[in-house]
Amino acid sequence: MEHALLLAERGRGKVSPNPLVGCVLVKNNTIIAEGWHDHLGGLHAEQMAIHDAEENGHSPNGSVAYVTLEPCNHFGRTPPCTEALMWAGVKEVVIAHHDPNPTVRGNGCRALEEAGIPTRTGLMEAEAREQMLAFLHWCEHRRPLVTVKLALDANGSVDDRSTDPQRFTSRGCLEKVHELRRDCDAVLVGVNTVNRDNPQLNVRLIPSTRQPLRVVLDPNGRVNSSAQLIHDGGETLLMQENFTGLSSLMHQLADQEIQRVLVEGGPTTVHRFIEAGLVDELFLVHSDAVHASPVPSGITSDVLVSAGLDLAHEYVWGDERVEHYLRSF
Ligand code: AOF
Ligand code: ZN
């Protein structure tokens, strides 16, 4: 299952709104085939694994399938994986996480059991949950997972009013931020960020097959009409409604199959999300830079703790130290 989880990673940034899924077929304690959901519209993991076995001269008949998500039992972009597993003669299916998609929800396991193929669910479930959290969250709550990224100088400031807008984190850090953008379906900022920084908010420092939707909160219609993100040909959504509580905005985004939104706004926008109780995850980037005319972020560990966020991991992105806070779900 550990190997299946690793294979699933190969679809990162390419499968949304589908989940990352990996699968291996095992016979006589040996992995005879590998599969993963590689891109939207591509084969499901189980079908790729069966195909891989056949291509390499192994019969999947009598093998055990380890798959990170309950196999689907419906005709969607591909035919049902349950049927592919039955036809292949798989003798048992071990699953990490059930599929909360209303069209699956236990039907995959039921169909397999009825065909005489035993199933076992829950192996490395927590790891699988973390990997496909945005998909699971969207199925379960009908709103996107909210990830916040905020960079601070040595004194907790987000900007230096004494200079023109400029990046104060390293190139290595910026590349990691682009990886984060690639893994999100939308990037959201407030109008102040657009007017001061004139950002592009796209993925350009690393390869990517798609760009996130840009969302700008602009309740009073103040956006600078010459802003790059309005004119560069990419997709941008200008939200002019005044979202109190923001939950209608979240449902609106969910309806557009946005499963994970990256909030890269300034402190006003970030605090609106925190106050609405909508932050699921936060990356706090700590730089050694010192701003001459600081703009305090107002983000302290007390604020984060009362927002239900716990420090889960620490990373180094380029020259910066990053704290990764997660909501205790
Ligand atoms: C699987 N194996 O590898 C994946 C599954 O529109 P479709 O046909 O691509 O189906 C999408 C749904 O199928 C998705 O919402 C999720 O419930 C499930 N994804 N299932 O058996 C896979 N990616
Ligand atoms: Zn499937």
Side-chain angles (χ1 to χ4, degrees):
M1 192 61 84
E2 204 173 327
H3 192 64
L5 286 164
L6 275 176
L7 292 170
E9 281 300 319
R10 298 187 185 178
R12 193 173 283 284
K14 296 185 286 176
V15 296
S16 180
N18 277 355
L20 293 170
V21 184
C23 176
V24 296
L25 300 181
V26 174
K27 226 171 165 176
N28 302 323
N29 285 323
T30 308
I31 293 178
I32 59 157
E34 301 179 328
W36 63 93
H37 188 39
D38 182 71
H39 57 273
L40 193 62
L43 288 180
H44 280 188
E46 301 88 319
Q47 307 200 24
M48 193 201 241
I50 292 166
H51 193 256
D52 184 47
E54 286 162 352
E55 214 163 52
N56 291 310
H58 292 289
S59 167
N61 192 37
S63 66
V64 177
Y66 289 81
V67 53
T68 61
L69 181 70
E70 175 185 358
C72 69
N73 188 41
H74 63 281
F75 283 87
R77 295 176 180 93
T78 63
C81 288
T82 47
E83 286 185 15
L85 293 164
M86 291 174 204
W87 279 97
V90 165
K91 71 169 184 190
E92 186 186 357
V93 180
V94 183
I95 297 158
H97 204 289
H98 70 274
D99 188 346
N101 181 343
T103 58
V104 184
R105 276 202 197 148
N107 288 331
C109 286
R110 214 165 296 126
L112 290 166
E113 298 275 350
E114 278 168 11
I117 302 174
T119 66
R120 180 157 63 92
T121 304
L123 182 63
M124 300 192 76
E125 188 173 28
E127 289 82 353
R129 186 167 181 83
E130 186 166 337
Q131 185 176 60
M132 52 181 122
L133 192 55
F135 167 79
L136 298 173
H137 191 271
W138 181 68
C139 288
E140 289 162 2
H141 303 288
R142 229 47 207 172
R143 73 162 179 84
L145 193 78
V146 175
T147 300
V148 175
K149 184 230 84 186
L150 196 65
L152 308 177
D153 84 343
N155 301 312
S157 154
V158 295
D159 196 3
D160 190 345
R161 291 286 177 205
S162 69
T163 66
D164 285 339
Q166 57 190 9
R167 190 160 52 77
F168 58 93
T169 52
S170 65
R171 161 91 189 193
C173 180
L174 199 59
E175 283 176 10
K176 295 302 276 186
V177 172
H178 280 225
E179 275 180 29
L180 195 54
R181 284 182 187 165
R182 183 173 59 183
D183 200 31
C184 290
D185 305 303
V187 176
L188 182 148
V189 294
V191 64
N192 294 334
T193 298
V194 175
N195 289 352
R196 165 128 172 108
D197 298 346
N198 195 14
Q200 297 181 64
L201 302 179
N202 56 14
V203 185
R204 54 189 189 282
L205 299 180
I206 54 166
S208 182
T209 51
R210 60 169 202 152
Q211 292 293 340
L213 170 72
R214 283 125 5 141
V215 182
V216 180
L217 297 188
D218 183 20
N220 302 310
R222 290 190 295 111
V223 74
N224 187 337
S225 58
S226 61
Q228 298 196 69
L229 50 69
I230 299 178
H231 299 283
D232 66 5
E235 214 184 335
T236 301
L237 208 60
L238 284 177
M239 297 299 225
Q240 297 216 329
E241 291 117 290
N242 200 353
F243 292 100
T244 44
L246 294 166
S247 78
S248 63
L249 166 68
M250 290 293 102
H251 290 302
Q252 209 167 307
L253 294 177
D255 287 347
Q256 297 191 38
E257 297 190 316
I258 303 294
Q259 292 183 349
R260 189 180 183 199
V261 55
L262 179 64
V263 176
E264 286 201 59
T268 312
T269 304
V270 171
H271 281 281
R272 278 185 83 180
F273 274 85
I274 289 179
E275 277 151 28
L278 285 170
V279 179
D280 300 303
E281 185 186 26
L282 182 137
F283 291 92
L284 208 54
V285 178
H286 295 277
S287 155
D288 286 338
V290 175
H291 294 157
S293 176
V295 178
S297 69
I299 298 288
T300 60
S301 54
D302 283 354
V303 168
L304 297 178
V305 167
S306 47
L309 295 161
D310 297 328
L311 182 59
H313 309 284
E314 290 199 54
Y315 314 114
V316 176
W317 288 1
D319 298 338
E320 283 73 31
R321 189 173 58 80
V322 177
E323 291 177 327
H324 185 189
Y325 290 82
L326 285 174
R327 185 201 289 283
S328 25
F329 285 94

